[in-house]
């Protein structure tokens, strides 16, 4: 268990968790992150810092974006990092982070925007917050009530959830 004063770094990259909908003529767009507000609503008392890396749908993330995420985590003083990320390319970003030693990294997202009343965002974020405190160093994905090793999970688009692979 971490000492209570050890902060957790939350990096936001965009994705469905932060999408907003303007009106009937608009598409969803990634807006300002709601992560800090979700943790406030959840009455989280563990110290954390929120930092925005980018504000994109994960299908728009580039190799340069993933490199920036990697560099930011590698340079961070925190050993426990949560990344909010779109679910479509979450596993691709996880692969890029696999070589970062001595850190627990948990990627998390949502299948419905956090601003929607029936979103999975708060639950998934809570799972990620718990997982980052309990897991051994490595890269993980927290989604749909499960925590997966990032190298042993895929998104099943037909089922709308993440499933473990046999690897």
């Amino acid at each position: 268990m971490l000492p209570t004063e050890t902060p957790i770094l939350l990096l936001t990259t965009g994705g469905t968790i932060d999408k907003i909908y303007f009106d009937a003529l608009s598409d969803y767009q990634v807006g300002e992150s709601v992560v800090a507000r979700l943790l406030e609503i959840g009455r989280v008392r563990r110290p954390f810092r929120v930092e925005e890396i980018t504000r994109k749908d994960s299908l728009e993330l580039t190799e340069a974006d993933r490199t920036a995420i990697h560099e930011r985590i590698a340079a961070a003083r925190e050993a426990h990092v949560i990344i909010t990320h779109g679910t479509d390319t979450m596993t691709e970003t996880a692969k890029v982070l696999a070589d970062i030693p001595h850190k627990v990294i948990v990627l998390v997202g949502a299948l419905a925007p956090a601003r929607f009343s029936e979103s999975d965002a708060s639950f998934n974020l809570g799972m990620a917050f718990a997982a980052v405190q309990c897991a051994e160093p490595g890269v993980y994905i927290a989604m749909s009530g499960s925590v997966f090793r990032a190298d042993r999970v895929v998104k099943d688009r037909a089922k709308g959830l993440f499933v473990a692979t046999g690897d």
Side-chain angles (χ1 to χ4, degrees):
M1 193 64 86
L2 296 172
T4 13
E5 64 278 352
T6 305
I8 294 170
L9 176 61
L10 286 106
L11 300 177
T12 65
T13 65
T16 297
I17 197 167
D18 284 325
K19 284 194 175 175
I20 55 178
Y21 187 71
F22 294 104
D23 58 41
L25 300 175
S26 302
D27 288 327
Y28 290 101
Q29 295 180 1
V30 177
E32 186 175 333
S33 181
V34 296
V35 170
R37 179 71 181 132
L38 292 176
L39 294 173
E40 179 184 326
I41 291 167
R43 295 184 174 92
V44 171
R45 295 298 172 247
R46 171 134 208 133
F48 63 88
R49 284 187 321 112
V50 179
E51 211 177 283
E52 183 178 282
I53 297 290
T54 188
R55 199 182 285 186
K56 295 182 177 181
D57 184 285
S58 71
L59 293 171
E60 297 172 356
L61 289 176
T62 64
E63 186 176 320
D65 294 324
R66 288 187 174 86
T67 298
I69 295 166
H70 184 285
E71 288 174 354
R72 180 62 196 96
I73 294 170
R77 67 181 183 267
E78 295 88 354
H80 298 82
V81 181
I82 296 171
I83 305 165
T84 61
H85 196 289
T87 59
D88 287 318
T89 65
M90 192 179 278
T91 57
E92 291 174 38
T93 299
K95 287 176 190 169
V96 172
L97 306 175
D99 68 345
I100 299 175
H102 314 298
K103 296 196 186 237
V104 181
I105 302 165
V106 180
L107 289 91
V108 65
L111 298 174
R115 290 170 175 87
F116 286 15
S117 64
E118 294 185 10
S119 175
D120 55 336
S122 292
F123 185 80
N124 291 341
L125 184 59
M127 288 280 302
F129 215 82
V132 81
Q133 295 178 65
C134 298
E136 296 294 321
V139 183
Y140 303 87
I141 290 176
M143 288 291 299
S144 305
S146 295
V147 179
F148 304 95
R149 282 196 31 181
D151 60 348
R152 295 185 181 169
V153 67
V154 294
K155 181 180 179 183
D156 183 328
R157 290 177 196 271
K159 292 180 181 175
L161 53 85
F162 281 77
V163 294
T165 62
D167 299 338

